[in-house]
Amino acid sequence: MTEGTTIGRRGLLRGAAAAGGGLLLPGWARAGARDLAAGRETLSGDTIELRIARTTMTIDGRRSRAIGINGHAPAPLIRLREGQDVAIRVVNALDTDTSLHWHGLLVPFQYDGVPGISFPGIRAGEAFTYRFRLGQSGTYWYHSHSGGQEQEGLYGPIVVDPAGADPVGFDAEHVVMLSDHSQASPAAIFRRMKLQPGYYNYQRQTLAGLIAGRDQPAAERLRWGGMRMDPADVADGTGATYAYLVNGHGPRDNWTGLFVPGQRVRLRLVNASAMTTFNVRIPGLALDVVAADGLAVRPVTVDELQIGVAETYDVIVTPTGDRAYTLVGESVDRSGMARATLAPRPGMTAAVPPLRARPIATMTDMGMGGMGAAGDMAGMDHAAMGHGATAGTDHAAMGHGAMAGVDHAAAAPPDAMAGMDHGGMDMRDFSLAPRVAKGPGVQTLSPMPVDRTGYPGQGLEDVGHRVLTYRDLVALARNPDVRAPGRQLDIHLTGNMERFMWSFDGVKMSDTHVPFAFVEGERVRLRLVNDTMMAHPIHLHGHFFDLVTGHGAYAPRKHTVIVQPGGIVSVDLTADAVGDWAFHCHMLYHMMAGMMRVVSVRPRGDAA
């Protein structure tokens, strides 16, 4: 076995969980210790070895093939400390190439773990050592970036404890890793999606549904049919092929996390799925959101949140009384759910709510958000929108009633832009002029996309309780860079759902060698415009970006953001990490189909 060179679960908690309530308590975990709350091995220390090999998973009594680490699928929890230097040796015991990417960790590009971009990958029978210093704390995760292996179980959580006092006060914690798992291989799933659109969609609209009024009005349905689109096509991968898991456990397995009544329990939520957006709630418990993508935010209390693929949220819950609570992770299309239990003792259960009615895409999801979409227009940062977006629009046809009662002053607080140097921004760059390569891979361009960062997510508009939106997030600490962007880059999220073709600006990864290029240290506004009818969680490696949601120097910083269908998300990026970085939709099969590009940050002295 050779060393690669560098370039540049399962079961309910048992009696052993009684000590400490079965919780992973705050503090430094020793190497090889058992995380009883998650039922997995916990790895710590300055030197860690991970062996990737074939294994099996047993989910709700059914065994399936998997790929895991050190005999575990999902992989072990890695627990580290901010400021620590770590060497992680990864041994590939597979018969094919593999890799590991440290999702959300800021590491040198040669250790980022993306074959063909940051390193060659780890060949069968070989090993590679990743070396980096932890310059951050929070909740992150790791996964393969090779051949769809994350779909087969090659993923695990990372917790980085802060070097000093934790800004979040809590008594105990659980890692809650949501995922999806299929008996079918990644190659088979991808092939079926390519061959037949909506292959796994068993919730299409019916004539009976139209007559009963459960589905869209006939006229609107005909409009969708004329475009050869299905408004029930909310998710490509569904419960028809997936089991939805919590820490590797299926709904009947019922993973259980213990608590002592009255404790402040920190739940580190990680969406490690391949294709599933989850709507998460715990009936009877409020969720105090305290971190997003690993970084602390001002606490905000909600009853439910939508977590996109690859996002993480930390929430505090305070369960009381001698009773159990059900944690629900409902798939966005409501074809299934992940289910777990929080309880004072093993074996306790709570009622599991039924699946709610599936969402149906709307005209706003088609990119016509300006036409009477009151829920989406409220609270919009109109100053951030390019006036070119409405050029040629027939305003007489717009539902201006949608704007009635909107407090536009509230969209941008007086101090929202404090400390920003507006003098350095060339406003002429701010337009939505399309530069999309037209072709069979581009089915539609959104005629009137809107900022939907105040939108809770599909199916959550009228649930009757508080749902998190991106606009609720405010950074706890002032951002390190509050300069105004010097230029803007519009990036269109494009696709043809009928042909399962996905891309940026109409160009697939395989069809171009031209990166999105930045100069070291420059401040750039990226405007992500979703021209498709499906939400996309967009992830940039090696960087955090600031969401432009009206919070100025306290804009929430994230590495992954859901761009809702027909929506726009604007982010300000400081290109401070030299190297080539992956930039992609984190829906596994969207990425594999082409929605991925390279972001290249060039040293300032090399800029030409």
Side-chain angles (χ1 to χ4, degrees), residues 184-207:
S185 71
I189 293 173
F190 190 42
R191 181 173 63 253
R192 290 164 182 166
M193 289 178 175
K194 292 287 288 183
L195 289 174
Q196 180 180 334
Y199 183 93
Y200 295 110
N201 182 9
Y202 292 2
Q203 301 192 92
R204 296 171 184 251
Q205 294 194 116
T206 64
L207 177 61

Side-chain angles (χ1 to χ4, degrees), residues 312-345:
T312 75
Y313 283 104
D314 290 26
V315 304
I316 299 292
V317 297
T318 307
T320 59
D322 188 32
R323 57 163 292 193
Y325 299 85
T326 296
L327 185 150
V328 177
E330 199 172 41
S331 64
V332 66
D333 71 317
R334 298 184 176 156
S335 61
M337 71 166 67
R339 171 257 186 142
T341 297
L342 299 178
R345 296 182 306 281

Side-chain angles (χ1 to χ4, degrees), residues 109-268:
F109 83 93
Q110 63 266 36
Y111 299 121
D112 189 50
V114 183
I117 296 180
S118 57
F119 83 140
I122 310 172
R123 295 185 182 279
E126 297 186 356
F128 181 85
T129 299
Y130 297 82
R131 303 179 189 274
F132 48 84
R133 171 169 290 184
L134 279 302
Q136 64 202 99
S137 62
T139 303
Y140 305 96
W141 65 296
Y142 63 108
H143 60 87
S144 173
H145 235 287
S146 301
Q149 292 169 358
E150 64 189 272
Q151 176 74 93
E152 299 185 89
L154 191 45
Y155 56 84
I158 299 173
V159 173
V160 182
D161 291 301
D166 197 311
V168 178
F170 60 101
D171 303 311
E173 67 178 2
H174 291 293
V175 173
V176 178
M177 177 165 272
L178 299 160
S179 63
D180 46 27
H181 190 81
S182 177
Q183 293 283 333
S185 71
I189 293 173
F190 190 42
R191 181 173 63 253
R192 290 164 182 166
M193 289 178 175
K194 292 287 288 183
L195 289 174
Q196 180 180 334
Y199 183 93
Y200 295 110
N201 182 9
Y202 292 2
Q203 301 192 92
R204 296 171 184 251
Q205 294 194 116
T206 64
L207 177 61
L210 290 169
I211 295 172
R214 294 191 303 268
D215 294 333
Q216 289 178 313
E220 188 167 328
R221 182 67 186 93
L222 286 172
R223 295 174 67 180
W224 282 85
M227 295 180 292
R228 300 179 66 185
M229 297 180 187
D230 183 358
D233 193 5
V234 173
D236 295 310
T238 74
T241 190
Y242 286 137
Y244 299 114
L245 314 182
V246 175
N247 294 329
H249 299 245
R252 291 195 299 275
D253 291 333
N254 188 26
W255 177 87
T256 301
L258 302 186
F259 65 83
V260 174
Q263 283 186 320
R264 284 173 53 86
V265 182
R266 183 177 193 162
L267 303 179
R268 298 180 181 267

Side-chain angles (χ1 to χ4, degrees), residues 300-569:
V300 55
T301 302
V302 298
D303 299 296
E304 186 167 6
L305 59 83
Q306 183 169 99
I307 182 169
V309 177
E311 289 189 300
T312 75
Y313 283 104
D314 290 26
V315 304
I316 299 292
V317 297
T318 307
T320 59
D322 188 32
R323 57 163 292 193
Y325 299 85
T326 296
L327 185 150
V328 177
E330 199 172 41
S331 64
V332 66
D333 71 317
R334 298 184 176 156
S335 61
M337 71 166 67
R339 171 257 186 142
T341 297
L342 299 178
R345 296 182 306 281
M348 297 180 71
T349 61
V352 179
L355 289 166
R356 297 173 293 191
R358 79 194 190 289
I360 296 294
T362 67
M363 300 307 287
T364 299
D365 299 318
M366 291 176 58
M368 299 179 181
M371 297 182 179
D376 296 311
M377 301 296 285
M380 282 176 51
D381 182 0
H382 298 279
M385 293 183 61
H387 295 291
T390 57
T393 298
D394 181 5
H395 295 280
M398 292 178 60
H400 293 285
M403 305 296 289
V406 174
D407 183 0
H408 296 279
D415 62 342
M417 308 300 280
M420 297 182 69
D421 180 10
H422 300 279
M425 182 179 289
D426 183 356
M427 297 304 292
R428 291 173 300 174
D429 290 339
F430 282 66
S431 70
L432 269 174
R435 55 182 184 84
V436 176
K438 305 300 195 304
V442 180
Q443 191 172 22
T444 59
L445 288 175
S446 297
M448 294 185 66
V450 293
D451 183 325
R452 304 189 75 185
T453 53
Y455 177 64
Q458 287 176 299
L460 298 178
E461 305 93 332
D462 302 305
V463 291
H465 55 234
R466 301 163 296 183
V467 184
L468 184 74
T469 75
Y470 284 142
R471 288 188 173 272
D472 295 325
L473 300 175
V474 182
L476 188 62
R478 183 181 173 88
N479 292 337
D481 189 351
V482 296
R483 293 176 296 158
R487 67 182 176 104
Q488 176 169 299
L489 176 63
D490 290 347
I491 299 176
H492 287 250
L493 284 54
T494 47
N496 185 324
M497 296 169 73
E498 284 294 305
R499 300 190 182 187
F500 204 77
M501 300 171 72
W502 303 100
S503 58
F504 288 123
D505 293 336
V507 181
K508 297 188 300 181
M509 174 77 167
S510 59
D511 290 342
T512 183
H513 298 292
V514 179
F516 294 123
F518 303 92
V519 177
E520 180 184 10
E522 76 166 318
R523 185 84 163 154
V524 183
R525 177 162 296 178
L526 304 180
R527 187 156 50 187
L528 308 176
V529 184
N530 191 348
D531 290 318
T532 80
M533 304 325 126
M534 193 166 285
H536 299 280
I538 303 300
H539 173 49
L540 173 60
H541 290 219
H543 298 78
F544 280 81
F545 44 69
D546 308 340
L547 297 189
V548 181
T549 52
H551 297 298
Y554 292 87
R557 302 178 66 218
K558 298 184 93 272
H559 52 63
T560 305
V561 63
I562 303 174
V563 187
Q564 297 288 349
I568 302 172
V569 172

